[in-house]
Amino acid sequence: MTAAAEPISELKLEGITKRFPGVLACDGISLDVRRGEVLALVGENGAGKTTLMNIIMGLYRPDSGSISVNGEVVQFRAPGDAYARGIGMVHQHFMLVPNMTVAENLALGLKDLHHFMRLDIKGAAQKIREVSERYELPVNPDAYIWQLSVGEQQRVELVKTLCLGAKLLILDEPTSALTPQETDDLIERLQRMASELAIIFISHKLNEVKALSDRVSILRHGAVVFNGHTANHEPSELAALMTGHEVTLPRNEGSGLQGTPLLSVRQLRVRGDRGNFALDGLDLELRAGEVLGVAGVSGNGQREFADALAGLRPVESGEILFQGRNLANKTPREIIDSGMGYVPEDRQTEGIVPSFSVKDNLILKDFAAKKFSKLSFLARKSIDRNAEQLKEQFDIRCPSTSTATGALSGGNIQKVILAREIARGPKALVAVYPTRGIDMGAQEFIHSQLLERRREGIGIILISEELEEVMNLSDRIAVIYKGRILKVLSAVEATRERLGILMAGLADTDPPPAAGASSLPAAGAAHE
Amino acid sequence: MNKQKVLFGGTVIIAVSLVAAALVALVLLAIGASPLATYKTILTGPLSDLFGVTEVLVRSVPLLLVGLGIAISFRSGILNIGAEGQIQMGVLAATAMALALPGLPKGLLLPLVLLAGALGGAVWGGIAGWLRARLQVNEILSTVMLNYIAAQIHTFLLRGPMLDPNELETGSGTPQSMRLPDASFLDQIIPGTRLHTGLILALVAAVLVWVLLWKTTLGYRMRAAGAGAKAARYAGIPVERYLIVAMLLAGGFAGLAGAVEVTGVHHRAIEGISSGYGFAGIVVALFGGLHPAGIIPSAFFFGILLIGADMTQRSASVPANMVLVLQGVIILAIVSAQSFLRNPYAQERVLRWMARLVPAWLKSKKGAQS
Ligand SMILES: Nc1ncnc2c1ncn2[C@@H]1O[C@H](COP(=O)(O)OP(=O)(O)OP(=O)(O)O)[C@@H](O)[C@H]1O
Ligand SMILES: [Mg+2]
């Protein structure tokens, strides 16, 4: 077994300060966490949470301050040192090798499995099975990472860290990619595990913080601005402390279904990465001026649906009629030019070119447009102006618009993508998990932006697992299950329970009210 | 921000050079030569007189041209190892053009010959680009294989169809083409030396490449395809098409280098005319940070190394091939440094060491923050 020395009884940080060129990421942070307790760490995007955790793991060295484990000052030079003291971390951005299997990824990190000239992959697979069974985190050790959805990859990360013998678990936004059920499960399990572990839990979802943590610390601009016992504070109070103002997520109050049909998808069949039909006869209709939520457990065809809409995946059969024109198997360029906007799932690799500056990423789709180029030369002035304007309008926090976009915090990267897509003035917008990993303030902002576009007459397809989000924003909610739309509910019909049941693939037993509901056949039975 | 990036890159390059120099010093010791004396000859010998300087520049011209092409392809996400073959195809095309139209006036013939060279190289590079874009053939394999094919074609033509008839009748049978018409020659810049106007051409090309990559929409597309193929695809950029364009351009620059060698230096196609510029160009490009502003000094530096190595061979009896060893070591050092530094944690670590080692760096950092 991995030798996790003595179990951790206390981890203490004192006066941790870390400066990056142009940013003070951590500003004299002191924290402590003990065995048997869960410390929640919250704060806006870019507040310095991840940086602080990376310092604990020995990935960064603090400029000043000290870390002690069980009263003994330690200096970790690498994550291996931290693991040796029983501290493990699940990173916000996955650290898995895509063209290796789950078991191989574990074997890489587990020194016990390194035999002379050979990796014990079988041993790794065995270990994964044990851990995933014990914590009920279903993971297939033989699957290749690249085949897995983001949600599944997150699960692999969790299992991997547990396999490595961590006793103090640092979870950097572990739930941002999980389904509501998985999240509830995880929270419950973590609660149970907390008695024998210490957990530092980072999340932007304050209800999770409320449910799981014993204590909460709030970071703002790299400094701790609040410490308290979770039980004594309401989520809204925490949100206000975090952002500095009252946060109220906007709701879709309008009575939808007034617009003309904008996009209709008919009998769409699309293959997934594994060659199966990930979309198997999907029907859907989007009208101008409505938000159509697509709810479903991740891995039911959402990714393939979004890809097909963006022209990134061949359509085997069926139609995507957009303003009367069939966009199936058109190139991404044609689809973009026809007025379709897209906020992709994986913002790091699909939404931006990380090494490009913020201003260059803001024109990723429009650099050749008249506005930003003349005679094939980039019009730097208007590109700069565009960037400054969007930075202002969308509150993108970056040292300057020349900063490499990959260096921004997750929330700010998302704002860059959203700014670009909205500023293009699309007729329809497909947004896939648009607020995953985004702080409350930014979420409020993104939601109100989406609703504002809706009022302007844009049709929005919102693919999300976040029921809260879907229910807040949508006029109608379509439940996707095994590559088909199981049912379309109007906003008034949709309740958490009903959506939950549908998302699990169970037939809807409520007698459907006459109006608004879809007449599509239930898909569960037809699927092999 | 940018100042720091340049400083950072510069420091890394210097560190890489020192490591490479130290490793090669070991090799030198192993063959019984004095590293210090050798390095002194290599670095100072070539620049000790005007003739030496012009010779360095003569070598820098093809290095610069090839390096620029390599930078375009690498920036676009395609690893072109085939410049050597592309140079040879450029040589053949340029020679054929000059010999086919001997009567044309210079103002017409020279541009035509240079263009033919560029086209020859572009076709050769384009093949690899097309194979990668359409059939997913790994470009490293295809360009290396195309090098062999080009070498065979080059040899065949120079020994057969293009062989100078004089060589057959009276000469020694040296495999080389006929002498080109005078109207196809690049002018001498300094009489009595071999330095020719190809230098100006190469410097202009460097500016053009900079403009292309950073000022035009085409360059934006190519860099996006190279730096984030997936995001580029999502944004509607047909990545595959720009792989082909990049290879056409890269091959074109290598072919132009070949044409410049023919019209500026040798005045006929000879065997061994590419003399490793195709591979050295890769080192030049990487060493120059894949940016024209870095590639110009880098090409000059490797020009010094090439001439210096000849000198040590004569004076210190260190084989000139030592330069190849140095090139190899530098590539390894740069590529490992790059992949190491792609990790942000490693980057932060290096920055911290630098901050400790170079107090001046700290100052500039503070300056940038305020
Ligand atoms: N390697 C780095 N180089 C330069 N700046 C960095 C680096 N890593 C982080 N930063 C900056 O430090 C600040 C803190 O970033 P950090 O990732 O810790 O925020 P966070 O609280 O985890 O945000 P999020 O909720 O979006 O994950 C940000 O302004 C970020 O841009
Ligand atoms: Mg973070």
Side-chain angles (χ1 to χ4, degrees), chain A residues 18-19 21 54 58-61 77 307 312 333 336 342 349-350 352 355-356 360 364 367 376-378, chain B residues 4 211 214-217 220-221 223-224 227-228 230-231 233-237 344-345 348-349 351-352 369:
Chain A
K18 177 78 202 170
R19 208 175 262 286
N54 283 337
L59 283 163
Y60 289 139
R61 208 69 78 68
R77 298 176 161 271
D307 278 356
L312 295 157
R333 188 76 245 169
I336 290 167
Y342 187 39
T349 64
E350 297 167 352
I352 57 157
S355 62
F356 273 25
D360 279 358
L364 199 57
F367 58 90
S376 295
F377 281 86
L378 294 170
Chain B
Q4 288 192 3
V211 170
W214 279 277
K215 299 286 162 193
T216 69
T217 52
Y220 182 96
R221 286 189 180 95
R223 284 186 301 118
K230 204 165 173 190
R233 219 167 267 134
Y234 273 67
I237 297 173
Y345 307 118
E348 188 261 356
R349 213 155 273 211
L351 273 170
R352 213 175 49 234
Q369 260 164 29

Side-chain angles (χ1 to χ4, degrees), chain A residues 103-337:
Chain A
E104 286 167 346
N105 266 283
L106 173 66
L108 278 183
L110 210 53
K111 289 285 180 308
D112 293 4
L113 298 174
H114 290 229
H115 300 307
F116 178 68
M117 300 287 281
R118 195 173 67 85
L119 274 176
D120 185 3
I121 305 293
K122 278 219 186 84
Q126 183 53 36
K127 206 154 182 149
I128 288 170
R129 265 184 224 107
E130 279 168 29
V131 169
S132 77
E133 223 157 84
R134 176 154 160 231
Y135 297 105
E136 293 169 55
L137 294 163
V139 153
N140 171 12
D142 302 319
Y144 282 93
I145 299 299
W146 61 264
Q147 296 176 319
L148 302 180
S149 73
V150 181
E152 290 163 319
Q153 291 185 28
Q154 178 68 269
R155 226 175 302 155
V156 172
E157 284 280 14
L158 203 57
V159 170
K160 192 177 117 189
T161 309
L162 291 167
C163 284
L164 293 172
K167 294 288 180 251
L168 185 149
L169 264 185
I170 298 173
L171 304 175
D172 195 353
E173 300 188 27
T175 57
S176 62
L178 299 188
T179 67
Q181 283 84 352
E182 284 171 324
T183 304
D184 294 347
D185 272 13
L186 177 69
I187 301 270
E188 222 173 86
R189 225 170 276 123
L190 289 175
Q191 271 164 342
R192 257 180 279 133
M193 287 155 65
S195 57
E196 45 180 311
L197 301 173
I199 296 175
I200 300 180
F201 179 77
I202 298 177
S203 176
H204 291 295
K205 296 177 202 156
L206 297 176
N207 55 339
E208 294 172 3
V209 168
K210 185 80 183 156
L212 177 63
S213 68
D214 304 301
R215 289 191 297 123
V216 56
S217 295
I218 299 180
L219 285 188
R220 237 169 105 188
H221 302 306
V224 177
V225 294
F226 175 81
N227 276 311
H229 287 276
T230 317
N232 303 340
H233 303 278
E234 284 309 307
S236 57
E237 199 185 334
L238 296 176
L241 281 165
M242 198 169 100
T243 56
H245 63 90
E246 290 286 323
V247 179
T248 36
L249 287 180
R251 295 182 60 96
N252 183 347
E253 309 287 2
S255 51
L257 299 193
Q258 286 146 347
T260 50
L262 188 63
L263 175 78
S264 57
V265 177
R266 299 208 187 121
Q267 283 299 309
L268 195 65
R269 279 161 67 86
V270 171
R271 286 188 196 278
D273 286 339
R274 276 155 265 186
N276 57 329
F277 276 105
L279 294 187
D280 199 2
L282 182 136
D283 287 286
L284 203 61
E285 187 163 279
L286 173 73
R287 301 170 205 221
E290 76 162 344
V291 176
L292 174 64
V294 176
V297 175
S298 102
N300 272 293
Q302 290 97 323
R303 169 153 60 147
E304 289 80 4
F305 180 45
D307 278 356
L309 285 181
L312 295 157
R313 209 174 263 274
V315 171
E316 301 277 329
S317 66
E319 294 182 320
I320 302 172
L321 289 175
F322 184 51
Q323 299 186 305
R325 197 165 149 236
N326 189 3
L327 292 186
N329 291 323
K330 290 274 185 289
T331 64
R333 188 76 245 169
E334 288 172 292
I335 292 173
I336 290 167
D337 289 341

Side-chain angles (χ1 to χ4, degrees), chain B residues 104-179:
Chain B
L104 285 187
K106 182 157 190 163
L108 210 54
L109 184 59
L110 181 55
L112 272 179
V113 169
L114 294 178
L115 192 68
L119 278 178
V123 167
W124 216 240
I127 293 174
W130 186 85
L131 285 172
R132 158 82 189 275
R134 295 285 170 260
L135 306 173
Q136 278 85 46
V137 176
N138 180 306
E139 73 275 12
I140 298 178
L141 289 181
S142 65
T143 48
V144 168
M145 292 305 158
L146 284 165
N147 280 345
Y148 286 117
I149 299 174
Q152 293 303 324
I153 295 177
H154 193 85
T155 305
F156 167 73
L157 288 179
L158 287 194
R159 284 167 194 263
M162 284 172 84
L163 178 62
D164 185 354
N166 286 335
E167 286 291 334
L168 267 186
E169 284 165 22
T170 59
S172 54
T174 313
Q176 57 183 20
S177 75
M178 259 162 56
R179 196 175 151 84

Side-chain angles (χ1 to χ4, degrees), chain B residues 336-357:
Chain B
S336 357
Q338 272 177 344
S339 67
F340 175 69
L341 288 176
R342 209 164 290 139
N343 179 338
Y345 307 118
Q347 225 174 64
E348 188 261 356
R349 213 155 273 211
V350 173
L351 273 170
R352 213 175 49 234
W353 290 334
M354 277 166 55
R356 216 176 293 159
L357 289 176

